[in-house]
Amino acid sequence: MLFEGMLQAGALTLRNFEVRVSERHPEGVIGAHALQASVVLINQRSQLVAICPATTPPALP
């Protein structure tokens, strides 16, 4: 199913993307393909997730 619209999660913005709906998993799931240009930080203690843009480290001289 095509979701026509925008989803923003942290620094990640997705537009018009394919989704799957499952009765067994009512929460949203973002796949690895969508996150490949991001860094995902997970704090298990507070149960928070941060999605940040990946940065390229500076080149060594």
Side-chain angles (χ1 to χ4, degrees):
M1 169 193 302
L2 179 66
F3 174 79
E4 294 184 19
M6 183 177 79
L7 169 74
Q8 184 155 1
L12 177 68
T13 301
L14 300 172
R15 289 182 176 84
N16 303 331
F17 54 95
E18 290 289 325
V19 296
R20 286 187 234 169
V21 179
S22 170
E23 291 181 23
R24 292 182 1 185
H25 303 286
E27 66 274 355
V29 177
I30 300 174
H33 181 73
L35 296 172
Q36 66 187 358
S38 301
V39 174
V40 178
L41 306 167
I42 302 169
N43 184 326
Q44 292 179 330
R45 186 173 295 161
S46 64
Q47 298 182 352
L48 295 174
V49 175
I51 303 172
C52 307
T55 58
T56 306
L60 298 175

